[in-house]
């Protein structure tokens, strides 16, 4: 039998992302999300349900979430369900269901973003300095930033 594990969520952060690093230096972040559902009952009363979900993300996406997201920020998450099981200190088995994010799209304005006026009428966020607690990582190839005079139109 074939299986399929895909989750799409749209909601708001319930807390700031919790960013940490594995012993090998890989970034991992846990993000708390709330997904609200509003509906009408049979007697016409409006009712709201909230579903709380923990989203786990890895690598550069985790670092970016830790840098730019904060409590209340709206996000869209695409990922898969992941069941974690462990035995606690008292010997009791426990489990939790998480979403392992494959992609996170930030829908709101980033936290601590400094906006500066740019040439063609728009504003864009200024890059912030790297966090001091982040371990040194190999530099990834990035295309050089285009100067405003180099724009081909």
């Amino acid at each position: 039998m074939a299986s399929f594990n895909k989750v799409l969520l749209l909601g708001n952060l319930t807390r700031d992302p919790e960013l940490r690093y594995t012993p090998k230096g890989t970034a991992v972040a846990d993000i708390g999300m709330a997904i609200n559902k509003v509906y009408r009952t049979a007697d016409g009363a409006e009712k709201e349900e909230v579903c709380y979900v923990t989203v786990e993300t890895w690598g550069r996406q985790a670092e970016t979430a830790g840098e730019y997201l904060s409590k209340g920020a709206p996000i869209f998450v695409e990922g898969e369900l992941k069941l974690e099981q462990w035995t606690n200190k008292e010997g009791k088995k426990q489990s939790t269901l998480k979403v392992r994010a494959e992609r996170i799209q930030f829908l709101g304005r980033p936290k601590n973003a400094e906006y500066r006026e740019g040439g063609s009428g728009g504003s864009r966020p200024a890059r912030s300095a790297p966090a001091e607690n982040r371990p040194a990582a190999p530099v990834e190839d990035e295309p050089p930033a285009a100067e405003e005079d180099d724009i081909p139109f």
Side-chain angles (χ1 to χ4, degrees):
M1 177 189 278
S3 15
F4 185 72
N5 185 0
K6 186 63 112 179
V7 175
L8 302 173
L9 301 171
L10 179 64
N12 296 82
L13 270 65
T14 58
R15 62 183 185 274
D16 290 348
E18 298 170 11
L19 179 63
R20 62 190 186 283
Y21 291 88
T22 66
K24 291 186 177 183
T26 304
V28 60
D30 284 332
I31 300 168
M33 262 184 95
I35 297 96
N36 298 323
K37 177 183 178 180
V38 179
Y39 63 95
R40 293 204 182 275
T41 61
D43 63 354
E46 194 171 275
K47 199 163 187 180
E48 182 175 9
E49 286 181 2
V50 182
C51 180
Y52 296 99
V53 178
T54 299
V55 177
E56 176 184 84
T57 185
W58 290 79
R60 181 67 185 130
Q61 187 167 250
E63 292 176 327
T64 305
E67 188 174 345
Y68 293 107
L69 292 178
S70 60
K71 181 178 179 176
I75 62 171
F76 174 78
V77 174
E78 180 180 346
E80 62 186 17
L81 290 175
K82 174 187 170 190
L83 179 66
E84 289 186 353
Q85 298 176 315
W86 68 95
T87 304
N88 66 14
K89 294 176 183 176
E90 293 83 35
K92 184 179 176 186
K93 290 187 178 186
Q94 293 185 300
S95 65
T96 187
L97 193 58
K98 287 185 174 183
V99 172
R100 180 180 293 148
E102 295 167 2
R103 193 179 92 187
I104 297 177
Q105 188 170 356
F106 305 165
L107 302 176
R109 188 176 221 175
K111 74 174 180 183
N112 300 327
E114 295 178 23
Y115 285 86
R116 61 180 178 205
E117 291 304 314
S120 62
S123 62
R124 58 183 174 205
R127 284 193 165 221
S128 60
E132 291 179 15
N133 63 350
R134 189 177 301 158
V139 177
E140 296 179 22
D141 292 333
E142 285 189 30
E147 295 293 323
E148 289 186 25
D149 294 338
D150 294 341
I151 297 175
F153 51 89

